Amino acid sequence: GAVVSQHPSWVICKSGTSVKIECRSLDFQATTMFWYRQFPKQSLMLMATSNEGSKATYEQGVEKDKFLINHASLTLSTLTVTSAHPEDSSFYICSARDGGRTYEQYFGPGTRLTVT
Amino acid sequence: GIQVEQSPPDLILQEGANSTLRCNFSDSVNNLQWFHQNPWGQLINLFYIPSGTKQNGRLSATTVATERYSLLYISSSQTTDSGVYFCAVLYSGGGADGLTFGKGTHLIIQP
């Protein structure tokens, strides 16, 4: 149980284009989903928190107009990187909480984004 | 925000050895999780342990919330245990619900 999937697992895009990453909870309803970013050899940093049906809350320093987050249903959140630049190249990982039973988070396998 | 420190940053052991990884945090927490990040980047949930002790096979963990630390024990290490181990916490004082990660312990198990 508690499986989270992400799609795509890796993507290469050209500078200036937009990329959408999907995060799905497969066997539970996720009232809250989270997006993290990890640069090579570094730890994970929280980018934003999204609750189903409401606007995402972004961490300080994360541009909300560049990283668009939509949490349209209890099983799906999407992250769109708009007008991507090479410095946006990173490993993006989503996680989900299971309806508030506990504070435990379940993580997806991650999406490796390379912007050329 | 809450601070999370993991030690040691790097650890090299022979197969069969035991190890203890430590996570110190600066404030009270609602959540503490240990993860193993495999070479493909996937975070494997090891323990959800905001307090107390849990065991799962060769791995066990203890969190002493009042003293603000957690320990992850790996016994009889295998080469497949190699990778980065992260501790992550959720501050109980409100604000963001996302986890704050430590910098990790890079474990290498040599055959």
Side-chain angles (χ1 to χ4, degrees):
Chain A
V3 178
V4 177
S5 71
Q6 275 185 247
H7 177 81
S9 54
W10 58 271
V11 58
I12 301 173
C13 71
K14 292 192 174 182
S15 200
T17 61
S18 295
V19 174
K20 181 184 284 188
I21 302 169
E22 293 186 348
C23 175
R24 294 182 184 273
S25 57
L26 298 186
D27 52 3
F28 66 98
Q29 292 188 328
T31 53
T32 307
M33 287 183 162
F34 307 87
W35 289 94
Y36 296 82
R37 181 166 53 182
Q38 184 180 30
F39 291 107
K41 308 287 187 186
Q42 295 187 23
S43 188
L44 282 76
M45 296 292 291
L46 178 67
M47 297 176 66
T49 301
S50 73
N51 292 291
E52 186 263 339
S54 63
K55 288 185 178 181
T57 302
Y58 292 82
E59 294 301 296
Q60 194 171 7
V62 178
E63 301 173 58
K64 62 180 181 181
D65 294 331
K66 179 170 192 59
F67 298 99
L68 301 180
I69 291 171
N70 184 277
H71 191 163
S73 77
L74 285 172
T75 60
L76 173 64
S77 176
T78 60
L79 168 68
T80 301
V81 182
T82 63
S83 187
H85 289 118
E87 57 264 32
D88 298 325
S89 298
S90 187
F91 191 53
Y92 292 88
I93 310 174
C94 73
S95 72
R97 250 173 63 182
D98 182 359
R101 287 188 303 132
T102 72
Y103 290 99
E104 186 171 7
Q105 292 185 24
Y106 303 94
F107 282 75
T111 296
R112 197 163 301 279
L113 169 64
T114 301
V115 184
T116 61
Chain B
I2 192 167
Q3 306 300 312
V4 182
E5 292 186 3
Q6 290 186 243
S7 59
D10 301 283
L11 186 59
I12 302 174
L13 298 171
Q14 294 298 120
E15 202 168 21
N18 301 328
S19 59
T20 301
L21 281 57
R22 187 176 179 100
C23 173
N24 291 334
F25 44 97
S26 62
D27 218 318
S28 59
V29 298
N30 283 332
N31 178 7
L32 189 146
Q33 292 182 244
W34 282 98
F35 301 93
H36 177 206
Q37 188 167 40
N38 68 21
W40 298 272
Q42 170 81 61
L43 284 176
I44 310 298
N45 274 31
L46 297 178
F47 294 102
Y48 168 69
I49 188 165
S51 64
T53 297
K54 290 185 177 179
Q55 179 153 10
N56 184 3
R58 296 182 295 104
L59 274 60
S60 64
T62 295
T63 297
V64 184
T66 53
E67 297 187 21
R68 298 179 184 164
Y69 73 88
S70 183
L71 301 173
L72 176 68
Y73 305 98
I74 305 173
S75 65
S76 303
S77 300
Q78 301 174 358
T79 56
T80 51
D81 293 331
S82 296
V84 183
Y85 289 79
F86 287 108
C87 164
V89 304
L90 171 64
Y91 171 50
S92 65
D97 271 349
L99 295 174
T100 299
F101 281 74
K103 292 185 176 180
T105 292
H106 187 196
L107 177 64
I108 297 174
I109 305 298
Q110 297 178 331

